[in-house]
Amino acid sequence: VVAAHRQTAGRGRNGHTWVSQPGRCSTMSYAVRIPRAIATDESVNGWLQMIAGLVTLDALNGMIEEYGAAPNQPDCSLELKWPNDVFCHGLKLGGLLSELVIPPSSGTGTDADADDDVVIVFGVGLNLALGACRLPTPQSTSLQLHVSGLPSFGEMRDAVEGFRERLAKFIADPKGQAESLREEVKAVCWARGRQVEAHFTDGTTLTGEAIGLNEDASLILRTQDGTDHTVRTA
């Protein structure tokens, strides 16, 4: 785990930038070892990003409960916006970015299992203690604006971790875990049932109702003509 007090070149998806402020935004990266076979299996590897989102929600909700804090409004629950945003009250509270890294071979021939592993780096940026006047965009928000009784920023930042248990279960049974993850994500999927617009890297867009997730964690988008489209990255 690497925690940055100050981040000067934060990156998001599709060339977007991530703006953070020291002492107010948590910027952390988690490097985890994953079997190469799982990381490159397109039928299940989409769930790795979903696991990162669920871990983040677990940590935030656990921290809120531990310190006896409480949401200001009933609709201030934390949700995931597929595929990589943390939402609160329909606004962006944070973002997640994952990168696959192929480690160099050990070259010794004594650790074949390690050579079959890859590394995924999950970058997690969260607005925890930003005041309303400091928000970078009208579509963003901060946890302290929605929850009363939160601890200090340092205590909040240190609470946001916990990949190991979820990843171990997924690695042990990726197909079985995919189905249970699908049900779990359904309960916190901000986009489900909403009209959304997918922006693709080639500049095209697709508008429709987000129906849910497929078995491989891709998004089902139903257009006005009743056709279901599979969106894997947008």
Side-chain angles (χ1 to χ4, degrees):
V1 182
V2 178
H5 174 66
R6 179 185 297 273
Q7 187 182 51
T8 58
R11 291 185 292 119
R13 289 170 60 85
N14 297 333
H16 295 164
T17 57
W18 176 261
V19 179
S20 63
Q21 297 185 30
R24 300 179 184 276
C25 301
S26 170
T27 47
M28 305 181 81
S29 292
Y30 304 82
V32 299
R33 296 179 72 99
I34 298 289
R36 187 187 302 261
I38 292 177
T40 57
D41 184 346
E42 294 184 355
S43 70
V44 296
N45 62 8
W47 291 109
L48 295 169
Q49 180 79 16
M50 297 294 101
I51 288 173
L54 290 171
V55 166
T56 303
L57 292 195
D58 287 347
L60 288 171
N61 286 323
M63 178 266 295
I64 290 170
E65 181 179 355
E66 178 183 353
Y67 286 92
N72 299 332
Q73 301 291 336
D75 59 351
C76 286
S77 58
L78 300 175
E79 298 175 293
L80 296 178
K81 181 188 175 190
W82 185 92
N84 66 319
D85 288 340
V86 178
F87 260 40
C88 182
H89 201 70
L91 298 168
K92 184 171 179 175
L93 180 75
L96 301 97
L97 187 70
S98 58
E99 288 188 80
L100 178 68
V101 180
I102 307 297
S105 172
S106 64
T108 63
T110 59
D111 196 357
D113 289 342
D115 288 343
D116 285 338
D117 287 349
V118 295
V119 174
I120 297 182
V121 180
F122 294 100
V124 182
L126 297 167
N127 297 328
L128 297 178
L130 281 177
C133 63
R134 293 177 178 266
L135 294 173
T137 70
Q139 292 77 39
S140 58
T141 192
S142 174
L143 189 64
Q144 74 167 21
L145 300 178
H146 302 277
V147 179
S148 300
L150 291 169
S152 67
F153 169 76
E155 290 172 294
M156 285 194 285
R157 180 192 59 196
D158 292 345
V160 184
E161 57 180 273
F163 274 94
R164 183 170 300 169
E165 184 178 349
R166 280 188 177 273
L167 286 174
K169 289 181 179 179
F170 185 74
I171 290 169
D173 181 20
K175 295 287 187 181
Q177 283 291 302
E179 187 55 40
S180 62
L181 287 167
R182 187 181 182 187
E183 290 301 309
E184 190 174 358
V185 170
K186 185 188 298 184
V188 293
C189 183
W190 176 85
R192 185 166 170 258
R194 296 177 185 269
Q195 287 290 123
V196 298
E197 186 174 74
H199 295 253
F200 299 99
T201 53
D202 62 2
T204 61
T205 61
L206 182 67
T207 302
E209 181 184 352
I211 302 301
L213 300 184
N214 289 304
E215 293 180 355
D216 64 352
S218 57
L219 184 69
I220 306 169
L221 202 63
R222 181 169 295 167
T223 49
Q224 195 170 13
D225 61 3
T227 302
D228 288 351
H229 302 261
T230 295
V231 181
R232 288 193 167 81
T233 177

